[in-house]
Amino acid sequence: MLSAFTARPIVELKPRDKSKIESILAYGDRLLVGLNTGSLRVYRVNEVLEDASTQEAEPATSDRPSSQPNPKPVELLREQEKFSKYKIEQLAIIKEANILISLSNGYVSIHDLQTYHPQEVLTKTKGATAFAVTSNIVKDPATGIPSIVSRLAVAVKRRLLLWSWHDMELASETSEYTLVTGIKTLTWATGTRLIAGLSSSYVMVDVETSDVTDIVGPGSIGGAPGQDGGRFGGLGVASVGYMGIGGSAPKPLATRLSEGEMLLAKDINTLFIDTEGKSLGRRQILWSVAPEAVGYSYPYLLALQATKGALEVRNPETLNLLQSISLPNASQLHVPQPNVSLAHAGKGFLVSSERCIWRMGTLDYDSQIDAMVERGKLDEAISLLGMLEDALLKDKEGRLREIKMLKAQTLFDQRKYRDSLDLFTEVSAPPERVIRLYPRLVAGDLSTAEEGSESLNGSIHGDQITEGGDIANHSKQPSGSCEENQKNSETDALPNSKPNSADTAFIRRIKKADNADRSDAGSIRGQASDTTKSDKPLEGKDLKAATVELQAFLVGTRTKLQRFLNEDGSVKEMTNNTGAGHDGAAEPAFESLLVQQSQGVNKDRKQQLRETAKLVDTTLFRAYMFASPSLAGPLFRLDNFCDPDVVGEKLLETGRYNDLIDFFFGKKLHRKALELLKKFGQADEQDVAPQLHGPQRTVAYLQNLPPELIELILEFVKWPLEQDPELGMEVFLVDSENAETLPRLPVLDFLQGIDKELTRRYLEHIIHELNDTTPDFHQRLVNMYLEGLHSKDFKSDDERTAWKEKLLDFLKSSRHYQAYKVLGQLSRDDADLYEARAIVLSNMGQHKQALDIYVFKIQDPEKAEEYCNQVFLTEQIRPSSPTQFQRASTSDREDATPSIYHTLLSLYLNPPPPHEPQWEPALSILAKHGSRLPASSTLDLIPEVLPIRKLESYFRGRIRSANSIVNEGRVLAGLRKSIVVREQATLLLGDGTTGGNSGRNRRVLISEDRVCGVCHKRFGNSAIKVLPK
């Protein structure tokens, strides 16, 4: 059991002293003891803190001896023999008023605190049985000035009397309340509310509002108003004798607990209430015998069992018995209040019998928690840490987190996987610590489960006797008697070694030892069978159930890690990513998730974070593959940090090749993925991975690779191009961003080495579909067209004609090839290249030479005329001087440049030798385009022998064109006149719309306060100019 307190006798009545201790009171370093003779003894309590080593360290001098006897626990300062004529039943002080209050012979008396001389006997208190005092700081509601208000409540049969002191002055008014039955005990709940324990129930009295509230509780605590609710008619079990009802009923007890809570106890019944008297709904304390007194010494609940001669120490939250201290014949429990004594937090409370007074020394809280953890009382340690303040412990948060992880580990050993993993998640346990609990199937090389199970069996059997003996010794509590108090030094000794949080063997050993210590209640709930650890390894259904719970834990941890890691593994920059570490120093917020460092290895925290993410994802993959294989695929499609070697080996074993390819793609291990695809794609056996057979999967994979990996793409696209060129070219021709942004020159060079036809297809794609204007690509495509026209074996004339048309169309549409180079490749004597030469000459601006080819070599007037039309339209769209407006005129300008039609007409009418004039095409040009030809130069070209009647169409066209220009000018003049009239009307009369422009009818009102909108000066007598808007 726990050794939180140690009983040390400080006052022992000598055998020849026939007095008996009736009451005790401690404040500061003073101890007042009231005897049955009416004497009051005043002691000074000495604090003995120095040990022998401290004294030996001090040098011996002549003035001070080297060795001094240890001081006595207490020193008797004085004895006030005539303090009272009768036994002193109760003592209390009001320090602010410097008075001592005593109860003797049914009267409450007031004494001076310094001299202990009586000042006043409160005569109204005749027949008093108990009293209670309280002191509180109260602010005046009117002025807000704080003052100390002390109150004295005295129980006189059914009456409750109340006196009050404001600071040091006794108030003249005395309050009196009459209750239903006799008052046995009084306890202050707050500064203004009082719990009165009656014969059969409890009531709460509000001294400010004078309200009396009945407290309803179970058994003998109390029933409905006016009802005796205790068992056996309110007498209680302790009052039932052997032959009948006899003896005295147990006193109704009450004590304040933590802030806002109180405990009522009568007989073996208990009730937890708040300061308003309402039940908190908590279970009762399992007492077999009614306690003599109850108290609260932070943070423990105390109960004095007079019949057992023992002091019980309990956890007020779990109500479990932590320690039982043997104190023979003890009858009184005195815990100094914080406003009276600074010895709070479980230090310095007193227990007395008729002959002896014990002072309870306490172990520091860190040692108490260590002892609880060492004995496996993890729930009690967690509860105690939750009740204690941070300042009373070293690294409270770290200790609480560590103990919760120990408890989670214990629950895991008990096969309570969900509760265990939920607790691990609550405290953000390091993933490595949780994963170690699983076998190699899930945890890999990190596992300690399989090896630990064998070694643990031997350690448990070998150490069982020793541990059982230790527990048996721990169950023996200090005797507590004045003569036998020192016997507890050996039985309460704690082991020197501290518990190892990661050692599962230790956890199992302390739980077996804890099973041997069956006290009133155990620290771990349900310890009878649940704490027994099965020695068989984790396997089968248990392993699967544990793995399913591990998946939820790892997913939660993975989500936390994503707050600190980017997809590429770099750590995110966070403005507030530090927190208080366990040692008080600043540390990253992800510190609790890091993989533990090996001894002597100093790693960067960012590297540790990446290793933790790798461990979490790899273990999650193993867990999915074992318990939920269908969930492994979606994991690969997310950004993950799985170990590629582990995943690759596992997926190859299970034949999940598609998932392996997806994983390699997500991890950007493209070479491994492509090698695997090539291996299965070229395999002769289709039974293995049939979905990967052939180049389809490889082509789809290559289409998703970024342009930066062009070398890898070209390396592995070769074999799909060899097997299925049409499908392989989809890597470069597919309509996707990756294909469009591939470096084109390396692709062209690569395709050139495989097949020129593939090169041509790729050039046509990037030029016609992607509008690439690189001159080299255009030139290469022209060269390929020309080379194919000369060297390619065409199956038919139609195929050759189509190839030629493709060349001519490209020569017409493209302007990015080098025309002079192409012209040098075109033979003058090759009839198939006549039109190609004409197109190239046209692009070079050599229109006359181009027309020469159409007229004399190709001898196609229609193509010559079409060529002229295209050139004329192009010149109309792109005039030589865009800023100069050329007005249409009926007469020809002298400086006008001859049109393309004039050039064609000159070739028809004045051909170079040995060609003959061509009258029919010339007359057709004159008839269709005569208006576009200058009259003077055109007529000069017409020979005199040509009859005038053949030029009728030409003259008609010229006249019609001139008339059109004149009519157009007249229409424009009329339109301009209409615009002028409209603008004049708007200026004079306005636009006629409400709120619109009023023209010259506009009026502006100038008042005295009107200011200029530009200079913001008042107008006055200055000139005024009204702007249009």
Side-chain angles (χ1 to χ4, degrees), residues 66-81:
S66 58
S67 61
Q68 296 180 357
N70 292 330
K72 296 180 179 180
V74 293
E75 295 180 8
L76 181 61
L77 299 182
R78 62 184 296 182
E79 181 174 357
Q80 194 79 9
E81 295 183 352

Side-chain angles (χ1 to χ4, degrees), residues 776 778-790 807 810-811 817-834 836-837 840 844:
D776 182 54
H778 287 249
Q779 185 64 39
R780 292 178 69 168
L781 184 57
V782 172
N783 295 341
M784 295 191 71
Y785 283 147
L786 292 174
E787 183 181 354
L789 191 63
H790 291 299
L807 170 64
F810 183 69
L811 290 175
Y817 58 86
Q818 298 178 359
Y820 66 92
K821 287 187 177 181
V822 177
L823 187 63
Q825 296 175 358
L826 300 175
S827 175
R828 295 174 179 268
D829 301 328
D830 191 347
D832 289 337
L833 301 177
Y834 284 161
R837 284 184 61 86
V840 173
M844 298 175 65

Side-chain angles (χ1 to χ4, degrees), residues 44-83:
R44 180 175 63 194
V45 181
N46 298 320
E47 294 290 341
V48 182
L49 298 177
E50 297 182 355
D51 54 9
S53 60
T54 307
Q55 296 177 1
E56 292 176 0
E58 298 179 357
T61 60
S62 58
D63 297 335
R64 183 175 182 180
S66 58
S67 61
Q68 296 180 357
N70 292 330
K72 296 180 179 180
V74 293
E75 295 180 8
L76 181 61
L77 299 182
R78 62 184 296 182
E79 181 174 357
Q80 194 79 9
E81 295 183 352
K82 297 183 179 180
F83 185 82

